[in-house]
Amino acid sequence: MRPARRVLRKIAFEDISTGGSIIVFGPQRDMLHVAKNFMEFFVDESCGQCTPCREGNAKLLEGVKLLEDGRCSQDYLSDLLALGEAMQVTSKCGLGQSSPKALLSILANFRDEILDRTGRTG
């Protein structure tokens, strides 16, 4: 997920490898809602076999909901980012390894907008 200021890129293996898909959102789209939608999907689709995916996706969704409510502390947000990164390397399958990617990308590229909305600063 990249903000409009970073669109002068090539959709190619050498620059932005897409894995075969790309989604474009307009400026009116609430990126926190996008993150919530992705996380709800992954919570539902997790087979539950491995702990990082089963528990991690639920925790990431909980964090998105706290952000929506303006109740996510900087420390908890840092913990969520670390959890997402850990899930990418410890989950058994591709679903669990890729599930935190959207949230991590949204927080990396739209952090200020999300934190401004909750009354916090990055």
Side-chain angles (χ1 to χ4, degrees):
M1 311 272 173
R2 301 194 187 286
R5 64 186 176 273
R6 295 186 57 202
V7 295
L8 297 174
R9 307 282 302 270
K10 294 178 188 174
I11 299 173
F13 181 76
E14 301 81 26
D15 190 11
I16 300 176
S17 178
T18 67
S21 65
I22 187 168
I23 302 172
V24 178
F25 297 105
Q28 74 285 359
R29 178 60 78 180
D30 179 351
M31 295 309 291
L32 196 53
H33 181 74
V34 170
K36 183 178 179 183
N37 187 36
F38 273 97
M39 294 317 308
E40 287 174 339
F41 170 81
F42 286 117
V43 166
D44 288 341
E45 292 301 314
S46 174
C47 74
Q49 183 179 5
C50 71
T51 303
C53 183
R54 180 182 64 245
E55 300 298 325
N57 283 318
K59 278 294 189 192
L60 292 180
L61 177 57
E62 176 183 294
V64 170
K65 289 177 180 179
L66 288 174
L67 280 166
E68 280 185 326
D69 294 342
R71 299 183 300 123
C72 185
S73 70
Q74 287 288 337
D75 288 339
Y76 192 69
L77 184 57
S78 294
D79 289 346
L80 290 174
L81 294 171
L83 172 61
E85 291 168 358
M87 288 171 62
Q88 289 181 312
V89 296
T90 60
S91 294
K92 287 185 175 185
C93 74
L95 183 128
Q97 293 165 2
S98 64
S99 61
K101 192 169 190 150
L103 179 60
L104 295 176
S105 180
I106 287 168
L107 290 174
N109 290 294
F110 299 94
R111 184 182 187 114
D112 291 340
E113 291 92 329
I114 290 170
L115 293 178
D116 283 350
R117 205 175 92 172
T118 64
R120 291 171 169 71
T121 58

